[in-house]
Amino acid sequence: MATRTRKSPTDDPLAPVTLAVGQEDLLLDRAVREVVAAAKAADADTDVRELASADLRPGTLAELTSPSLFAERKVVVVRDAQDLAADTVKDVKEYLKAPAEEITLVLVHAGGAKGKGLLDAARKAGAREVACPKMTKPADRQAFVRAEFRTAGRSATPEACQALVDALGSDLRELASACSQLMADVEGTIDEAVVARYYSGRAEASSFTIADRAVEGRLPEALEALRWSLATGVAPVMVTSALAQGVRGIGRLLSAPRGMRPGDLARELGMPPWKIDRVRQQMRGWSADGVAVALRAVAEADAAVKGGGDDPEYALEKAVMAIARAARSR
């Protein structure tokens, strides 16, 4: 299942403004990549600028979108647009009235009440919109898996799609990685037997178990789960995805405003309440510096397992050890 365009006057990724709206990280990233790929296909020298909301200050957008001497194509991506300061929102709303030529602005917005004025202004201006909703229902995740195979021109049985969701859970990055792995390794129709062969033992040694033990500082258990997971055929990229998600959850909760009610905090961070409770228990030994160290370790491991290193298993073990040490950094 790819991202879905809604209420758009055009489905052209090079529309002057694209809104990627929702809280499903994989779909948001794909929406951004689609625009960047289209821009680079039109002009290989396209300049891509990606900014966090804190990086976009009054005047920054005008500077980034000002006419270039060489009339170069540019893509400007603003992450977490719902968090933009009021003065910056004014700049963006003014820009929406007359977008610059050869510039594609991508606003990544969580949706909801926060920052709704900017969302409404972009829609009123005719922005192309890509919906990236959180997939909370198993049926939605099964539809996503079916679409992954279908988009690649491959066939998978309904039973195989359900088995994959049952084995891997709710993380879309992990599901997408699993689909890619199966399509690379298996010819013909992917059925339930294939999924069982690849992911037997997943309930006992899932990548999320590895991540949970690592962020809790329980190194022996994390390494044991990692080695069992790899021995039962789990793709290393799924492990790095789970590790990244675990560390990011710690970082988001550490930086969240104190004193918020659990329900408000869950909405603010885009996490279900049960996950807030789990992450709160896991973060007791963490510091902001520890999160930074752990994220660097995960990034290095991710590069290694995707072809940048000679020994993916060693890279994963090194990352798990760094995360477990960081869990005791406070």
Side-chain angles (χ1 to χ4, degrees):
M1 180 175 177
T3 48
R4 300 174 301 196
T5 305
R6 165 192 166 196
K7 296 181 181 177
S8 301
T10 175
D11 194 26
D12 181 5
L14 294 182
V17 181
T18 286
L19 274 175
V21 183
Q23 297 181 10
E24 190 61 70
D25 289 342
L26 174 66
L27 300 185
L28 291 169
D29 288 346
R30 285 184 174 182
V32 172
R33 288 202 303 268
E34 181 186 23
V35 173
V36 171
K40 286 188 174 292
D43 181 354
D45 295 324
T46 293
D47 182 18
V48 179
R49 304 291 183 91
E50 187 160 341
L51 302 94
S53 56
D55 298 327
L56 197 66
R57 299 181 175 89
T60 303
L61 185 60
E63 180 182 340
L64 289 173
T65 58
S66 59
S68 167
L69 179 64
F70 303 102
E72 64 181 357
R73 181 178 292 277
K74 187 180 294 184
V75 176
V76 178
V77 181
V78 180
R79 295 277 183 175
D80 297 320
Q82 73 279 356
D83 295 329
L84 288 172
D87 288 345
T88 306
V89 169
K90 291 180 182 178
D91 281 1
V92 178
K93 287 182 177 179
E94 193 63 31
Y95 176 81
L96 292 172
K97 296 176 183 177
E101 293 186 9
E102 301 300 313
I103 305 288
T104 300
L105 175 64
V106 183
L107 299 174
V108 181
H109 195 294
K114 189 175 183 180
K116 189 173 184 298
L118 176 59
L119 203 57
D120 292 342
R123 286 168 172 162
K124 186 176 180 180
R128 169 179 177 263
E129 183 170 346
V130 183
C132 308
K134 203 75 176 172
M135 294 188 182
T136 58
K137 298 178 181 178
D140 291 338
R141 295 192 287 273
Q142 289 172 26
F144 170 83
V145 169
R146 287 196 299 271
E148 289 291 290
F149 289 121
R150 185 170 58 249
T151 300
R154 295 294 300 275
S155 175
T157 66
E159 293 78 13
C161 295
Q162 180 172 344
L164 204 54
V165 171
D166 291 343
L168 299 181
S170 61
D171 187 84
L172 254 59
R173 291 188 188 279
E174 197 164 6
L175 287 169
S177 296
C179 292
S180 297
Q181 184 74 36
L182 290 171
M183 288 187 285
D185 291 356
V186 178
E187 296 183 357
T189 298
I190 295 166
D191 58 21
E192 189 174 8
V194 169
V195 175
R197 186 167 71 246
Y198 270 71
Y199 298 103
S200 61
R202 287 289 282 138
E204 293 77 17
S206 73
S207 56
F208 290 107
T209 298
I210 300 166
D212 285 342
R213 300 299 172 266
V215 300
E216 291 162 3
R218 297 162 61 183
L219 180 58
E221 293 98 323
L223 290 175
E224 181 182 3
L226 172 64
R227 289 161 186 161
W228 175 254
S229 182
L230 295 174
T232 55
V234 177
V237 70
M238 297 180 188
V239 180
T240 57
S241 175
L243 291 173
Q245 184 173 331
V247 175
R248 282 199 300 265
I250 298 287
R252 290 166 68 188
L253 198 54
L254 270 176
S255 60
R258 296 185 180 277
M260 293 184 69
R261 292 180 300 180
D264 294 335
L265 186 59
R267 285 189 291 274
E268 177 76 15
L269 299 182
M271 295 181 183
W274 64 265
K275 189 168 186 179
I276 294 286
D277 292 339
R278 177 191 289 178
V279 175
R280 183 176 281 120
Q281 292 173 355
Q282 293 173 334
M283 64 180 273
R284 289 171 182 166
W286 283 86
S287 67
D289 289 342
V291 170
V293 169
L295 286 174
R296 284 196 296 271
V298 173
E300 291 171 3
D302 191 55
V305 303
K306 291 178 178 176
D310 297 327
D311 191 341
E313 292 188 18
Y314 172 72
L316 289 172
E317 288 192 6
K318 186 177 176 183
V320 167
M321 288 188 284
I323 292 169
R325 285 195 299 268
R328 298 186 292 273
S329 58
R330 178 177 292 178

